Amino acid sequence: MISIALAGKPNAGKSTFYKAATMADVDVANYPFTTIDANRGVSHVRTDCPCLERDQRCGDENCHDGKRYVPIELLDVAGLVPGAHEGRGLGNQFLDELTNADAIVNVVDASGGTNEEGEPVEVGTYDPVEEVDFIEEQLDQWLASIIDRNWESVERKSRSPDFDIDDALADMLTGFGATEADVAASLREIEYPEDPIQWTDDHREALARDVRARTKPIVLVANKADIAPPENIERLRETGKPVIAATAEGELALRQAEQAGAIDYDPGDEDFEVLGDLSDEQAAGLDQIREVMQEGGGTGVQAALNTAVYDLLDQITAYPVQNETKWTDAKGNVLPDAFLLRRGSTPRDLAYAVHSDIGDGYLHAVNAKTKREISDDYELEEGDVVKIVSTAT
């Protein structure tokens, strides 16, 4: 399962974002380090379900009238403060938790209502642009320190006649989520001496920055957009980073109102419909949320997760079925499963995603939309429905 981590300074709204995206019961409070132990939960990315191409919608619990919600893991960890990579605050714990994340959502208090330590200040008095590169810098310096601490082992290995620096660094960085391909690509991008003994701190830091950028892409969430000065949002967008304006509190309020039957709303919708009677206070609160949604096409919470998974990680959604005519599994369930795969994946990759035995026994695949067999090197596209033929099925 794809894993997305929520990062940011304390009190930026990470736990509210997490609760809104997972509806899990977590502490949300207006003080630094509300989160001590990492919260792990299941959230979803949203895409169009292939059932939209048929006369009837599928009955899957993750499909809401053609809006398909695909599970991902969401991780909320303790907030960072300056010097986190040196262990200040809960820095080491936070950074350790990030090693297994595929991408990072950097939650920034766009209102300027909390300072660099996460302490409340008057709205608009702190510059949120100061937070833009903060997570990257802490991660880069933390990874550089790991490389530095383990460099002596690389130097020892370099004395061997069959030494390969790609292999040595891949062994070191696997725990950070880097593959051999990531390490090879980073080494192509930076300049470095052939002899590891001649590497300097600058070389190691350049390697850390490039590996981090490849393995931990970051989308920035301009949170608290409902109270943020408009110029703050604009200045954050001018940084050139992927920026999503959001109101995590607004999303949480909508989810709770939907659960209570007061509104009709699906995560990621651009608007909602009021179903029941509301108090004046409730109506006023929903109207304020609606204003933010009209500005950004939603609350921004779902958009941030979608951006991380479909854009930064370049994933597509594929749907394995056993019956290519009815698009069902053996029990007759229509489009029961949806898998996230990296763009460029093949039917065999999908087979392995379903189960290793099915991948090992892979014979061929059929495109259920065209009813035609597809080649083994066919690159799956978003929304493909595929029948896998395997000796294991």
Side-chain angles (χ1 to χ4, degrees), residues 47-325:
T47 188
D48 290 334
C49 185
C51 73
L52 290 168
E53 300 177 29
R54 300 172 71 88
D55 293 335
Q56 291 184 324
R57 304 290 75 82
C58 68
D60 190 277
E61 62 179 6
N62 285 325
C63 179
H64 301 176
D65 195 27
K67 306 166 190 174
R68 187 68 179 230
Y69 292 90
V70 186
I72 59 170
E73 180 185 53
L74 193 61
L75 176 66
D76 173 32
V77 297
L80 265 76
V81 294
H85 69 282
E86 298 172 336
R88 186 166 178 263
L90 298 174
N92 286 335
Q93 174 181 326
F94 168 89
L95 293 164
D96 283 343
E97 292 285 359
L98 284 184
T99 57
N100 294 320
D102 296 298
I104 296 171
V105 172
N106 179 11
V107 182
V108 170
D109 178 1
S111 75
T114 46
N115 64 20
E116 67 275 6
E117 300 284 342
E119 300 162 340
V121 296
E122 185 178 347
V123 169
T125 58
Y126 181 75
D127 186 0
V129 175
E130 296 289 333
E131 310 299 322
V132 171
D133 297 323
F134 178 57
I135 297 298
E136 292 182 11
E137 291 170 352
Q138 294 299 316
L139 276 169
D140 291 349
Q141 292 178 54
W142 180 70
L143 181 55
S145 69
I146 292 175
I147 294 172
D148 187 63
R149 288 198 303 271
N150 290 277
W151 198 253
E152 187 176 338
S153 67
V154 177
E155 293 180 351
R156 286 199 303 270
K157 290 179 181 178
S158 70
R159 301 187 182 104
S160 171
D162 58 351
F163 171 73
D164 186 299
I165 192 166
D166 291 50
D167 293 340
L169 293 179
D171 289 343
M172 178 198 301
L173 296 169
T174 298
F176 189 74
T179 65
E180 292 181 7
D182 292 326
V183 172
S186 291
L187 289 174
R188 286 196 298 269
E189 285 297 314
I190 65 173
E191 294 184 3
Y192 61 93
E194 290 188 17
D195 185 353
I197 297 175
Q198 296 178 5
W199 279 52
T200 65
D201 288 344
D202 288 343
H203 293 123
R204 287 185 282 270
E205 288 173 8
L207 174 65
R209 284 193 299 272
D210 199 272
V211 169
R212 195 280 311 157
R214 292 178 189 281
T215 59
K216 302 288 181 285
I218 298 173
V219 59
L220 191 148
V221 169
N223 193 31
K224 307 184 185 180
D226 49 328
I227 60 173
E231 59 270 22
N232 280 8
I233 304 290
E234 186 59 33
R235 290 174 59 247
L236 286 168
R237 286 178 171 147
E238 289 174 353
T239 62
K241 307 284 186 181
V243 176
I244 305 293
T247 168
E249 282 193 355
E251 177 69 18
L252 180 58
L254 292 181
R255 300 259 190 135
Q256 292 172 332
E258 191 277 330
Q259 285 190 343
I263 65 171
D264 181 20
Y265 172 73
D266 286 323
D269 282 356
E270 296 183 1
D271 202 354
F272 56 87
E273 179 184 356
V274 176
L275 300 178
D277 295 330
L278 303 174
S279 67
D280 291 343
E281 183 179 2
Q282 289 172 327
L286 288 175
D287 284 343
Q288 186 176 14
I289 296 170
R290 176 172 273 143
E291 288 181 14
V292 178
M293 295 175 73
Q294 290 174 341
E295 184 79 19
T299 67
V301 170
Q302 189 66 62
L305 296 177
N306 273 29
T307 297
V309 172
Y310 287 117
D311 295 340
L312 297 188
L313 295 177
D314 203 19
Q315 300 285 303
I316 58 100
T317 322
Y319 303 78
V321 296
Q322 286 192 312
N323 187 312
E324 70 271 32
T325 301

